[in-house]
């Protein structure tokens, strides 16, 4: 999914929803995501409607290079597009925190 140099909020949201689906389908990533965010799996739909949640999903993807690489390869997305999308969403910023 090619994304222009700046992401529209609509395109950024669509990418973040893809990322959420990617995380939710992975038996290793989902428990890690839930532990880091503190939300329950049953609350993901509700949380997805909250400002900042989708940016948080992309922050999670961006914070771990192997996860970013796997997501981008699976969806044929330029990794830079993920960062642009994260910054275009409410709660996104330019100071991604790396995790181990």
């Amino acid at each position: 999914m090619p994304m222009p140099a700046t992401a529209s909020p609509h395109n950024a949201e669509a990418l973040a929803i893809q990322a959420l689906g990617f995380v939710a389908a992975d038996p290793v990533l989902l428990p890690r995501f839930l532990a880091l965010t503190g939300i329950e799996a049953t609350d993901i739909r509700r949380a997805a409607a909250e400002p900042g949640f989708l940016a948080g999903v992309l922050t999670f993807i961006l914070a771990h290079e192997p996860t970013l690489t796997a997501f981008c390869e699976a969806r044929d997305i330029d990794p830079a597009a993920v960062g642009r999308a994260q910054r275009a969403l409410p709660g996104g910023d330019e100071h991604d925190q790396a995790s181990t």
Side-chain angles (χ1 to χ4, degrees):
M1 172 170 123
M3 205 171 227
T6 57
S8 74
H10 176 73
N11 289 344
E13 184 176 307
L15 183 65
I17 290 169
Q18 286 185 43
L20 179 57
F22 178 81
V23 170
D26 188 293
V28 173
L29 289 178
L30 182 59
R32 183 170 173 254
F33 177 76
L34 295 175
L36 288 171
T37 61
I39 66 170
E40 299 291 325
T42 56
D43 295 329
I44 287 179
R45 285 188 192 268
R46 181 190 51 75
E50 297 293 322
F53 179 81
L54 291 177
V57 171
L58 294 181
T59 299
F60 175 79
I61 295 284
L62 287 163
H64 189 242
E65 189 172 348
T67 300
L68 174 63
T69 300
F71 171 65
C72 290
E73 287 177 356
R75 300 297 193 272
D76 194 27
I77 299 169
D78 176 11
V82 179
R84 289 190 298 270
Q86 188 256 2
R87 290 186 298 277
L89 291 168
D93 69 24
E94 297 185 32
H95 306 290
D96 299 324
Q97 298 292 319
S99 68
T100 57

